[in-house]
Structures are given as C-alpha cells and as structure tokens.
Amino acid sequence: MFRLQKALEKAKEKRAELRGNVSAHVSPLEMINYSQTRVVELPKETLEKNRIIAGFANDPRAQIFRTLRTKIIHKMRSNGWNTLAITSPTEEGGKSLVACNLAVALSMEVNQTVLLVDLNLRNPSIASNFGLQPEKNMYDYLKGRAELSELMVNPGIERLVVVPGGVAEGNTSELLSTPRMKAFIRETKKRYKSRIVIYDLPAVLPTDDALNVLGDMDAVLMIVGDGDNTRDQIERSRELISITNVIGTVLNKSSEKFASKGQE
C-alpha cells in the first residue's frame, strides 16, 4: 500500500513538472522537432507584408480563414480525406494566397500537421508568399535532382511544412503525370495520419496540368476571384474538377465580404 501511494505521488509530481513546461492544452504534435526539415524563422513583418495573416489573432481577416478551416476540417474528417487540392478557373483568382493562409490556419489546429505543396510549375508563388528562398524545389524532385527530405521547409510556424515549387523547363503536363509525381502523392498521403496535405495547383482552364494530378487527390477547393471569370468559365471549371470530390467554392477579392460556399 505504501509503495502504491509513493508511486502515485511520483506520478503527480511528474505531471506537475510537465504542466510547468507545457500547457495542459498542448497536444504532443505541438512539440515537433524538425530534425530533417530546414527551419527558416520568418519575421512577422514579412508575413504581414505578404498578406499571410491567418496566424495573427488581432487581424480581423484571420477569422475568415479560421472559419474556412473549420468547415474544411469537418468535411475532410467526416469523409476520411487528408489531401486537398486548391485551384481556380484562371490564374487571377488569388488561389495561392488563399492556399497559404488556409495552410497556416489549419496548422493552428493542434491535433494535426499540414504540408503545403506548390505544384504550379509554370508560375510558382508559395515560396515568395512566405518570403522563402528555397535551396531545392518540386521541379528538382521531379527531375530526380532532389529527394523529398531536401524539399521541405518549416517557415517558423508550428506544424506547418512547405514544399516550394520551381519553374519547369519543357512540358509541365508530362512532369505532373510521371510515376515520380504519383509516388510523391502516395508517400505524403500515407506517411502521417495526422497530416493534411494541401496542393496549390495551376488553374484548370489554361492547361491540363491540374487535371493530371487532381484525380489522385481526395478533394478540391475552387477559388474564384470576384469579377475575374465569366459564368461559363466557372461552370466549365466545376465540370473539369469533378473528377474528384468538390469540397466547395470560395469567392475571393470580394468588395463586400469574403464568402465561401461549401458543397454538401
């Protein structure tokens, strides 16, 4: 009996010590040690200048992305999905900026990690949006010049890892349909159960780049810039992306209020 009491007292002391170092609300996922991922601490001013504001609690625009995050998490978890593509009818919609802010918002959910991958090999912008200067990028990986571990960068935000894109030479459509691309999608999808992978894809109307990988992803979110596209363009885009699950459409750059419409 005495030994049991001593054991319980030691356990209580250990829990108290842990609470002193880590908040009681902290998930083990918060204590991530990026041993193989390059970590780049970005100044708050850089993120704010580049409009990556989802992590700023005092910015009213951040709530928009937290609301979008909640809707997306609910939909993805209820269906067992963990890969989300983000695209738009044409390149003017601001999809990459939405992808960055959504990734940050999702990473603030302590029960998961987020991988943000730039697959726009014609006009990559994820790295520049975060103010990163990557040593290796997705194009290097697809050409066999880099391994997966060399691509990943943590931009100083807990539970978020970024894979930068790169401007490709030659036919980007063929690159995105290679076995190496397929293997990348499979590997990143299965490696961590707690991870949501967000792919920033090219626009669907100008080329068939996005369609080469879209069918391998669980769901897609379409970003439409207010006034940037005609009704015919939007309807045609929705037809094309329906090869996977359309999770919803977001109206971006609205003069009234950022709006999102989930697809039930």
Side-chain angles (χ1 to χ4, degrees):
M1 184 69 178
F2 177 76
R3 290 181 180 178
L4 177 59
Q5 185 177 359
K6 291 291 288 183
L8 289 172
E9 288 175 355
K10 286 184 179 180
K12 288 180 181 179
E13 290 173 359
K14 185 64 176 177
R15 286 196 297 270
E17 180 183 350
L18 288 172
R19 283 195 296 267
N21 296 323
V22 183
S23 167
H25 299 289
V26 171
S27 160
L29 288 174
E30 287 190 288
M31 299 177 285
I32 295 174
N33 180 21
Y34 292 106
S35 58
Q36 295 184 342
T37 299
R38 189 164 66 98
V39 178
V40 179
E41 295 289 343
L42 298 177
K44 175 183 176 181
E45 293 75 20
T46 299
L47 296 174
E48 194 167 19
K49 178 183 176 182
N50 294 343
R51 295 181 291 168
I52 309 298
I53 46 79
F56 299 154
N58 60 345
D59 192 315
R61 296 171 296 175
Q63 183 56 47
I64 296 167
F65 293 102
R66 288 195 285 269
T67 300
L68 181 61
R69 169 195 66 190
T70 301
K71 293 180 178 180
I72 286 175
I73 285 178
H74 175 74
K75 190 74 172 181
M76 294 189 73
R77 286 180 179 171
S78 64
N79 287 280
W81 300 336
N82 72 335
T83 53
L84 175 66
I86 295 183
T87 188
S88 57
T90 54
E91 291 292 345
E92 299 86 6
K95 62 177 179 55
S96 297
L97 192 60
V98 172
C100 291
N101 277 291
L102 178 59
V104 172
L106 284 166
S107 72
M108 294 168 66
E109 170 69 41
V110 298
N111 295 318
Q112 67 191 25
T113 59
V114 181
L115 180 67
L116 174 61
V117 184
D118 193 339
L119 282 190
N120 192 340
L121 301 181
R122 297 173 188 265
N123 185 30
S125 60
I126 296 296
S128 60
N129 282 346
F130 279 98
L132 298 171
Q133 296 181 336
E135 297 173 0
K136 298 289 184 178
N137 57 52
M138 196 66 200
Y139 179 54
D140 293 322
Y141 173 83
L142 292 175
K143 295 295 288 184
R145 301 195 294 248
E147 295 304 317
L148 179 57
S149 60
E150 297 179 84
L151 309 181
M152 297 184 172
V153 181
N154 168 248
I157 299 171
E158 281 290 346
R159 299 179 297 278
L160 174 63
V161 172
V162 174
V163 173
V167 179
E169 300 173 2
N171 194 321
T172 54
S173 178
E174 291 177 357
L175 274 174
L176 292 172
S177 61
T178 59
R180 193 165 173 84
M181 182 73 254
K182 304 294 184 183
F184 178 95
I185 295 173
R186 288 195 303 270
E187 169 67 13
T188 53
K189 177 179 175 61
K190 295 178 180 179
R191 179 174 287 193
Y192 301 111
K193 292 182 179 179
S194 63
R195 171 182 285 171
I196 288 181
V197 187
I198 297 179
Y199 290 94
D200 181 31
L201 300 187
V204 294
L205 292 181
T207 71
D208 65 341
D209 287 12
L211 300 182
N212 278 295
V213 293
L214 199 52
D216 297 316
M217 297 174 188
D218 294 325
V220 58
L221 178 70
M222 187 166 73
I223 312 300
V224 178
D226 190 11
D228 289 334
N229 301 118
T230 65
R231 180 179 294 273
D232 286 345
Q233 287 177 319
I234 295 171
E235 290 179 354
R236 175 59 178 154
S237 298
R238 286 186 66 86
E239 290 177 6
L240 291 171
I241 66 176
S242 63
I243 58 176
T244 189
N245 301 290
V246 182
I247 205 170
T249 302
V250 168
L251 177 64
N252 193 24
K253 302 190 294 184
S254 172
S255 58
E256 298 179 5
K257 184 178 180 181
F258 191 104
S260 64
K261 181 180 180 182
Q263 176 160 314
E264 300 298 329

